């Protein structure tokens, strides 16, 4: 009524639309958060793979240098 809408039906329609808009906004926010979590998970997984790969390379290099030192 403060907005000048006197019809109770119009007010009900506006309330319903507002509720739908809020629900839609919340759904979009949750979807975005889910995507961000997935990206973060992928980034961490890639970092772990790079670390494992670099450790493997370091180990093979150290094994190779130890082998040449023994001869």
């Amino acid at each position: 009524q403060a907005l000048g809408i006197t019809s109770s039906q119009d007010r009900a329609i506006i309330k319903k639309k507002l509720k739908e808009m809020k629900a839609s906004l919340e759904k979009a926010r949750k979807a975005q958060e889910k995507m961000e979590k997935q990206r973060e998970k992928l980034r961490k997984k890639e970092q772990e793979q790079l670390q494992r790969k670099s450790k493997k390379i370091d180990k093979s290099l150290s094994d190779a240098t130890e082998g040449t030192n023994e001869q």
Side-chain angles (χ1 to χ4, degrees):
Q1 287 176 341
L3 297 174
I5 300 169
T6 56
S7 170
S8 62
Q9 287 180 334
D10 289 345
R11 285 195 305 270
I13 290 170
I14 291 172
K15 285 181 184 179
K16 184 177 178 182
K17 290 289 183 182
L18 276 172
K19 189 174 181 179
E20 288 174 2
M21 289 171 68
K22 286 179 183 178
S24 176
L25 186 65
E26 183 67 18
K27 187 176 180 180
R29 185 185 64 78
K30 284 184 179 183
Q32 186 171 355
E33 285 177 359
K34 185 177 179 181
M35 289 294 292
E36 288 174 7
K37 284 181 183 180
Q38 286 178 341
R39 283 192 203 117
E40 183 67 23
K41 190 175 179 180
L42 275 173
R43 189 184 63 78
K44 283 183 181 181
K45 190 174 183 179
E46 288 173 357
Q47 269 187 334
E48 288 174 4
Q49 286 178 346
L50 286 173
Q51 286 176 349
R52 276 190 251 129
K53 192 174 184 179
S54 67
K55 285 181 183 179
K56 192 174 185 180
I57 291 171
D58 289 345
K59 187 177 186 298
S60 64
L61 287 175
S62 65
D63 289 348
T65 56
E66 287 176 9
T68 56
N69 289 341
E70 290 177 3
Q71 292 178 355

